Every structure is written in structure tokens, then in C-alpha cells.
Amino acid sequence: MKTRLVIAAAAAMLLNAPSGFAADYPTSSITLVVPFAAGGPTDTLGRMLARRMNAVLGQSVIVQNVTGAGGSLGVGRVVHAEPDGYTVSLGNWSTHVINGAIYPLDYDLISDLKPVALLPSAPQLIVARNDVPATNLKDLVAWLKGRNVNVGTAGVGSAGHVSSLLFERQTGAKFVFVHYRGAGPAMVDMVRGTLDVMFDQASNSLPHVRAGEIKAFAVTSEARLSVAPDIPTVDEAGLPNFHVSVWSGLWVPKATPNSVVARLNAAVRAALADTALQEKLIALGLDLPKPDAMSPEALARLQRAEIDKWWPIVKAARMKSE
């Protein structure tokens, strides 16, 4: 509750600030580029955020799905767009950190983009098709060994892909990777039974777990989800310290005026201060960012720290684009 009140107060202050903002921005619709297919967790977050930002900014925020190459094509679309604040990148840990160590990008994730604001983050669920005989994570690991098991991902370098590789290293399991243009299409095949396993953001998997369409074995966080307290943590389930949280954020082209960035940042804060939106995000298993982590500078520090942490790991694993 305290976090919600602080976000609301900060948003009100920023939206009413007399200077430092682009007074005439925005005057037309804004395109929010989501680098994954419709129906996945990043797309869901983008559409929920866009609806609330519409009201805050007084202009339409239109989600555009630009898929391919693990989300790098969508990010590239924004990098090469006019730096006027009308084309915004919604991305996450995989698109704005991991991809730089895997794909031959024609842009630099740090110098060619300007951070706007940190968005909610999500732990992953380790899930499997319904007819997998295992009833807990230890049984699942035992069942996986010695089998050619299909694991679905949102693309090479996606959070699900990286988690799958770390899971292989920690447990000795071996996967056959099936890469999609987003977690949404992968989940369709998971529900159908075409895929065996996924390491998927809770916001994407929880509705299907609740519907009894797939099995959940653990959440990749230190604490259980408040909205799904029956799902054990990886530590409780026998896979200690397998902690993965997929954070998201907004970026714009590097030459975008700081006044426009400030206006967008204020709009995000105001959107996330909306109680109805907060409740929907929390119900999906998402964690709201703390107010002091939502500045452009804080997102820049987080992105740089994550690059320093994960690039050596990814490169050591010899992950390559396909």
C-alpha cells in the first residue's frame, strides 16, 4: 500500500510540473512496439499499460507487434525511428540485455537507446503438459533425464531459453529447443500437448495453470506468489537458488528530447498508480517496481549491471542466434 501511495504522489507531482516537460507533447498517437507475438506476457503487459496511458496522455497508445530474432527486430524498429517520442520500445531482460550477447545487432543496446522507466517484473513458472507423470519438481527432473524432451521458448536468447540452458546445466537434463516468436504461440502448443516443458513468465502461465490445462512445479523466486501460494518455490522444490525474474521497461531512440522522456516517465508512473491496473498486474503474479527504481537513470543502471552480469554467462554457454 505504501508503494502504491508513493507512486501516485510522484506521478501527480510530475504530471503537474510547470517546467522540464514538452508542453505540446503528445499531439498524436504513440506507437508502443512490442517485440513479441500477441498473446504473450510482454504483449499482455504492453496492452494493459497502453490502455491506461491513453487516458493519462490524452492520445492513443497503439501496440504494434514486431516479431523475429528473439525480439531484436522490434527493438531495432525503435532504434531507427524518429527520436520524437512517438515510437517507444517495450522490452525486457532478454531483448535489452541478453540479445546483445547473442545476435549480430546493428545497434548498441546502451548508446542507441534512451531509458524511460522500469515496468513490473515477473518470476517464471516451471510448467509441463498435463499428462507428464511427475507430481513434483524432483520427479520432473528424474522423468526428464534420458528423454528427448521438447521445451518451448519465446525465441533464442529469451528468458525461457536462458532459463532452460541453466536448468540443463544444474540438473543434467537435456532439451530439444523449439523456438517461437513469442511465449503466446508457445503456450498454445503447450496446452495442446505438443510441448513438454516451458520456463515461462507467471503472468502468461498462471491462467492456464488455474484452468487445469498445464501443470506448475515451481516458481523461480525466493518467495511464493501471493496469488498462487500453492506453487512451491524452486528452493522448496529441490532446485536451490534457481532464481529468475524477468523485468521489463520502456526505451526511446537516443536523440529523443529529455523533456519527452520526462513526460513519458510521468505517464508510466501515473498509469501504474491506478489501483485497478495494479490489482490486475498483481493478479498475474507481477511485481510492481519501487518508485525510486522508476527513473530513467535507475533503469540505465539496472540495464548496465545486468549486461555486466549476464553477458559472460551467455557467452560462456556459447548461445548463438539461429
Side-chain angles (χ1 to χ4, degrees):
M1 181 61 69
K2 181 178 179 181
T3 296
R4 296 185 187 185
L5 292 174
V6 173
I7 290 176
M13 179 181 67
L14 286 168
L15 287 173
N16 293 304
S19 61
F21 282 73
D24 58 347
Y25 170 86
T27 59
S28 61
S29 62
I30 296 168
T31 298
L32 182 62
V33 177
V34 171
F36 297 111
T42 306
D43 178 71
T44 298
L45 173 61
R47 292 180 188 277
M48 294 173 71
L49 182 68
R51 282 193 289 271
R52 185 57 195 153
M53 288 180 69
N54 287 344
V56 174
L57 293 170
Q59 294 289 344
S60 297
V61 179
I62 302 170
V63 172
Q64 181 182 67
N65 299 94
V66 180
T67 66
S72 63
L73 298 185
V75 178
R77 175 75 61 87
V78 177
V79 167
H80 301 299
E82 287 294 321
D84 53 12
Y86 290 96
T87 307
V88 180
S89 170
L90 192 160
N92 59 28
W93 170 74
S94 65
T95 57
H96 285 72
V97 173
I98 302 299
N99 280 358
I102 297 176
Y103 290 93
L105 305 177
D106 66 351
Y107 54 85
D108 186 279
L109 286 168
I110 295 293
S111 61
D112 289 331
L113 289 163
K114 184 175 287 188
V116 174
L118 181 67
L119 298 177
S121 60
Q124 292 182 315
L125 293 181
I126 301 175
V127 298
R129 55 182 169 83
N130 253 344
D131 58 351
V132 167
T135 58
N136 57 57
L137 187 58
K138 289 183 177 179
D139 288 346
L140 178 66
V141 172
W143 181 81
L144 291 172
K145 291 182 178 179
R147 285 182 168 83
N148 291 322
V149 176
N150 292 326
V151 61
T153 83
V156 176
S158 65
H161 185 204
V162 174
S163 297
S164 302
L165 290 170
L166 293 176
F167 187 88
E168 281 187 324
R169 182 181 299 180
Q170 193 160 335
T171 66
K174 295 295 179 184
F175 293 127
V176 176
F177 292 95
V178 184
H179 300 298
Y180 294 77
R181 287 178 175 262
M187 182 53 65
V188 171
D189 280 354
M190 168 63 75
V191 172
R192 289 173 178 168
T194 305
L195 294 175
D196 299 305
V197 177
M198 280 183 68
F199 296 76
D200 188 37
Q201 291 184 49
S203 57
N204 192 49
S205 290
L206 263 182
H208 302 284
V209 173
R210 289 169 175 156
E213 296 172 332
I214 58 175
K215 291 181 177 181
F217 291 89
V219 59
T220 61
S221 57
E222 296 182 30
R224 295 192 182 200
L225 294 173
S226 61
V227 294
D230 55 320
I231 301 175
T233 68
V234 283
D235 301 279
E236 293 170 333
L239 194 62
N241 299 315
F242 191 82
H243 302 146
V244 180
S245 182
V246 183
W247 53 266
S248 296
L250 292 185
W251 290 260
V252 289
K254 63 179 179 181
T256 303
N258 289 335
S259 58
V260 170
V261 172
R263 180 78 173 112
L264 285 169
N265 181 276
V268 171
R269 289 176 184 263
L272 292 180
D274 180 72
T275 301
L277 178 57
Q278 289 182 352
E279 291 174 351
K280 291 177 182 178
L281 294 171
I282 292 170
L284 289 172
L286 293 167
D287 294 322
L288 298 174
K290 294 186 181 346
D292 59 0
M294 292 183 66
S295 70
E297 295 77 17
L299 177 55
R301 289 192 295 271
L302 173 64
Q303 184 182 15
R304 169 53 70 186
E306 290 283 85
I307 284 174
D308 291 343
K309 173 183 176 180
W310 285 101
W311 277 21
I313 295 172
V314 171
K315 290 178 179 180
R318 299 182 180 179
M319 293 174 60
K320 300 292 183 182
S321 60
E322 297 178 358

